């Protein structure tokens, strides 16, 4: 049951990341939106906002795909798998997804700083 809950959380995170990417690519992501990467460098100007999200889009997409794959994989763990196995899978996935998301935020910030 816990694996199913963790899997659903990953799928919700993938939906959040995917929604931000879709909004950006359709040019419906206003500067400072909660769906985007918001910090001082990315919100400094409209150009910085666009360039930052253009730089971060591949990594954000990769993070969303990882969340979908891992969400389904973790949700597929059965009760036969011990709770520590489920938690280790979830923690490893969380750390890896966090690293990819951090890299996307860093790429966005660096790209925005080059514009300003």
């Amino acid at each position: 049951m816990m694996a199913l809950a963790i899997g659903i959380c990953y799928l919700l995170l993938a939906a959040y990341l995917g929604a931000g990417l879709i909004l950006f690519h359709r040019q419906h992501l206003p500067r400072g939106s909660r769906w985007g990467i918001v910090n001082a460098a990315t919100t400094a100007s409209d150009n910085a906002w666009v360039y930052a999200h253009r730089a971060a889009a591949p990594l954000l997409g990769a993070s969303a795909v990882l969340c979908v794959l891992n969400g389904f994989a973790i949700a597929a763990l059965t009760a036969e798998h011990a709770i520590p196995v489920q938690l280790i899978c979830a923690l490893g996935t969380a750390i890896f997804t966090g690293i990819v998301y951090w890299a996307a935020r860093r790429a966005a910030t660096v790209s925005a700083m080059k514009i300003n």
Side-chain angles (χ1 to χ4, degrees):
M1 184 67 175
M2 184 187 335
L4 181 61
I6 293 170
I8 289 171
C9 288
Y10 274 108
L11 293 175
L12 290 173
L13 179 60
Y16 175 79
L17 292 170
L21 283 171
I22 290 169
L23 288 172
F24 172 70
H25 285 294
R26 292 188 177 172
Q27 299 175 351
H28 293 299
L29 188 66
R31 184 167 34 144
S33 170
R34 67 177 173 193
W35 299 99
I37 297 173
V38 179
N39 60 32
T42 60
T43 58
S45 70
D46 287 336
N47 281 342
W49 182 258
V50 170
Y51 282 103
H53 285 83
R54 191 174 295 147
L59 289 170
L60 290 174
S63 185
V65 169
L66 284 172
C67 286
V68 169
L69 294 175
N70 291 319
F72 282 121
I74 291 171
L77 291 175
T78 63
E80 297 169 1
H81 296 94
I83 299 244
V85 171
Q86 295 174 6
L87 292 176
I88 288 170
C89 289
L91 183 62
T93 301
I95 290 170
F96 187 70
T97 303
I99 290 169
V100 174
Y101 184 73
W102 173 84
R105 287 186 61 88
R106 188 68 190 134
T109 302
V110 168
S111 179
M113 291 173 84
K114 287 180 182 178
I115 298 301
N116 294 330

